[in-house]
């Protein structure tokens, strides 16, 4: 029976040529779509180096009519950092907030990236994404620390005056006034700088563009990091909030980790409604609350990833149906 069918196919090979050509094209295109979908799915399942589930990003803004020109540390403390500290304290005291942190720099699921070059010999330069963070950031984002665990276990709740005119958010272990500056680097940056990702605690490197006057000390090594689900792993460095943050009166982002039972679909709206009046601490007010899930959906749509994946799925289903019919 099979031999008869194969003989018939061979005898009608001219008539069946177009059918075989069609099947070949369909199989190639179907394989391309499935391979692309597998690549997206595999990249999405790879750990990002932090956990954004139940994490929201808050933005404070300032009322220009309430701003006070701060020309000294005393005025900075009274009119800027004390109100900021009070607003931050009220956020952390919200019953649905598990932990909170202040930060600046490269953000996930956006094009907002800060890069800097680092070196150990002034010859080779290694670029890295930069984040300036308060110590609680590691707890909020649940960043796995590969080496140097237990560094951020102290009570780090307030802005504290340090020697000179600088201010520090954190503790003596995480202070922008010390030299060399403490830094947490990712495994990729450790490997790029020191050609190994192990045993680098305490080693020093410096800013390529500022020279050896701006030195850093490896305080800890964190896991591989990437900026979004589909990106490749990149070099990252996390440092204390810099001195210019205090001098220039920069307004930082605030990330909060919400208790899982409180993270309902309307949390952002509910939090804004409950906290808008409480966070009107001169000169600050609550500007925006959004989840990283929302930020991811917006980024995927703007980059064309969402329609691209949707189209590939539809095409794969269509070609599979063609193969079945053929």
């Amino acid at each position: 029976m099979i031999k008869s069918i194969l003989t018939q196919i061979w005898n009608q090979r001219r008539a069946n040529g177009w059918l075989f050509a069609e099947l070949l094209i369909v199989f190639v295109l179907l394989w391309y779509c499935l391979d692309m979908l597998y690549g997206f799915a595999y990249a999405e399942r790879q750990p990002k180096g932090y956990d954004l589930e139940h994490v929201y990003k808050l933005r404070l803004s300032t009322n220009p009519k309430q701003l006070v020109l701060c020309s000294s540390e005393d005025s900075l403390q009274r009119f800027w950092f004390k109100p900021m500290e009070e607003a931050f304290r009220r956020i952390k005291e919200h019953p649905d907030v598990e932990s909170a942190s202040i930060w600046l720099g490269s953000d996930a699921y956006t094009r907002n990236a800060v890069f800097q070059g680092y070196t150990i010999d002034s010859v080779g330069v290694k670029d890295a994404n930069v984040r300036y963070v308060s110590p609680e950031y590691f707890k909020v984002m649940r960043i796995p620390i590969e080496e140097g665990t237990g560094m951020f276990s102290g009570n780090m709740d307030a802005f504290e005056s340090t020697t000179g005119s600088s201010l520090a958010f954190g503790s003596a272990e995480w202070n922008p006034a010390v030299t060399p500056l403490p830094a947490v680097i990712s495994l990729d940056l450790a490997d790029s700088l020191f050609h190994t990702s192990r045993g680098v605690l305490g080693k020093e490197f410096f800013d390529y563009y500022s020279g050896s006057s701006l030195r850093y000390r490896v305080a800890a090594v964190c896991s591989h990091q990437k900026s979004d689900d589909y990106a490749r792993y990149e070099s990252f460095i996390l440092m204390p909030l810099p001195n210019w943050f205090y001098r220039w009166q920069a307004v930082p982002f605030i990330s909060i980790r919400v208790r899982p039972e409180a993270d309902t679909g309307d949390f952002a709206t509910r939090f804004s409604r409950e906290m808008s009046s409480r966070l009107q601490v001169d000169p600050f007010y609550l500007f925006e609350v959004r989840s990283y899930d929302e930020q991811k959906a917006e980024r995927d749509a703007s980059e064309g990833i969402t329609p691209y994946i949707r189209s590939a799925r539809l095409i794969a289903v269509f070609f599979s149906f063609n193969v079945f019919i053929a």
Side-chain angles (χ1 to χ4, degrees), residues 300-318:
D300 288 350
S302 65
E303 295 291 328
I305 295 176
T306 301
Y308 192 59
I309 292 177
R310 187 184 300 118
S311 299
R313 287 173 177 169
L314 292 174
I315 293 172
V317 171
F318 173 74

Side-chain angles (χ1 to χ4, degrees), residues 46 213 238 248:
Q46 293 293 103
S213 59
L238 297 94
W248 298 348

Side-chain angles (χ1 to χ4, degrees), residues 217-255:
R217 172 181 55 84
V218 179
V221 179
C222 65
S223 61
H224 297 285
Q225 303 274 310
K226 57 181 181 177
S227 56
D228 62 65
D229 292 342
Y230 309 115
R232 296 182 178 182
Y233 288 121
E234 302 176 56
S235 295
F236 273 80
I237 179 170
L238 297 94
M239 298 177 288
L241 291 163
N243 285 326
W244 56 256
F245 164 71
Y246 306 99
R247 292 196 307 267
W248 298 348
Q249 298 175 251
V251 181
F253 294 110
I254 298 176
S255 288

